[in-house]
Amino acid sequence: MTYLVWKDSMNTGIHVIDNQHKRIVDMINELHEAQQGQEKEAVSNVIEELIDYTLSHFAFEETLMEDAQYQFSRAHKKIHELFIRRVEQYRTRFEQGEDVGDQLKELLSRWLINHICNDDVDYVKSVRRNMHELLEDKGWLSGAMKRFFG
């Protein structure tokens, strides 16, 4: 049974970001399934993957915001840092033998939806404009293509 369902209202309109968010939703559901099967090792693996993936997603998102010169990128990064500290506390508690799966799922679900619909929506306009400008800059694009693909 699915714990969290992706809704179109959660889309930012930035395809790569939406796909990353959807992957986080999938991992929350994987955590739920591992819990249902009472597989401690599977729960541990999903928690580790969730944390690692979320960290890389945050880094990617922060880079997009900085490249777009989004005026609130430092504040957004601070929100990410606070969330990471909180999730790290759950990981530590889990490693010490505490069953934190339900609490972690609840936190991740509430936080993710709130963050996407409230915090992430604020940077979308800046990032999309920057992405559009980069794609229109034929000199930049052709130079990048030559560097990466010869």
Side-chain angles (χ1 to χ4, degrees), residues 14-122:
I14 301 172
H15 190 68
V16 65
I17 293 293
D18 292 337
N19 284 340
Q20 290 176 3
H21 288 158
K22 288 175 186 176
R23 178 66 188 124
I24 294 169
V25 167
D26 289 343
M27 284 189 267
I28 293 169
N29 287 323
E30 289 170 20
L31 175 59
H32 179 70
E33 289 174 24
Q35 281 184 287
Q36 299 303 305
Q38 298 182 343
E39 303 169 32
K40 187 170 177 140
E41 186 175 337
V43 170
S44 176
N45 292 339
V46 174
I47 287 173
E48 288 301 315
E49 184 182 3
L50 241 168
I51 291 171
D52 290 345
Y53 190 85
T54 301
L55 290 172
S56 65
H57 165 68
F58 285 170
F60 180 78
E61 197 175 75
E62 290 164 9
T63 300
L64 288 179
M65 287 186 289
E66 288 168 10
D67 288 350
Q69 299 177 349
Y70 174 60
Q71 66 179 346
F72 300 114
S73 62
R74 289 184 70 200
H76 198 103
K77 185 175 182 175
K78 190 69 171 166
I79 291 168
H80 287 170
E81 290 169 359
L82 293 170
F83 180 73
I84 289 166
R85 273 192 245 142
R86 193 162 179 200
V87 171
E88 289 288 347
Q89 292 171 348
Y90 279 95
R91 179 184 2 208
T92 300
R93 289 172 48 202
F94 179 79
E95 289 170 349
Q96 294 172 347
E98 191 175 336
D99 183 4
V100 297
D102 285 337
Q103 294 171 14
L104 184 57
K105 268 190 326 203
E106 180 65 25
L107 169 72
L108 289 168
S109 300
R110 275 187 293 111
W111 191 88
L112 181 67
I113 293 167
N114 181 55
H115 188 66
I116 292 170
C117 295
N118 295 309
D119 300 324
D120 285 356
V121 75
D122 288 340

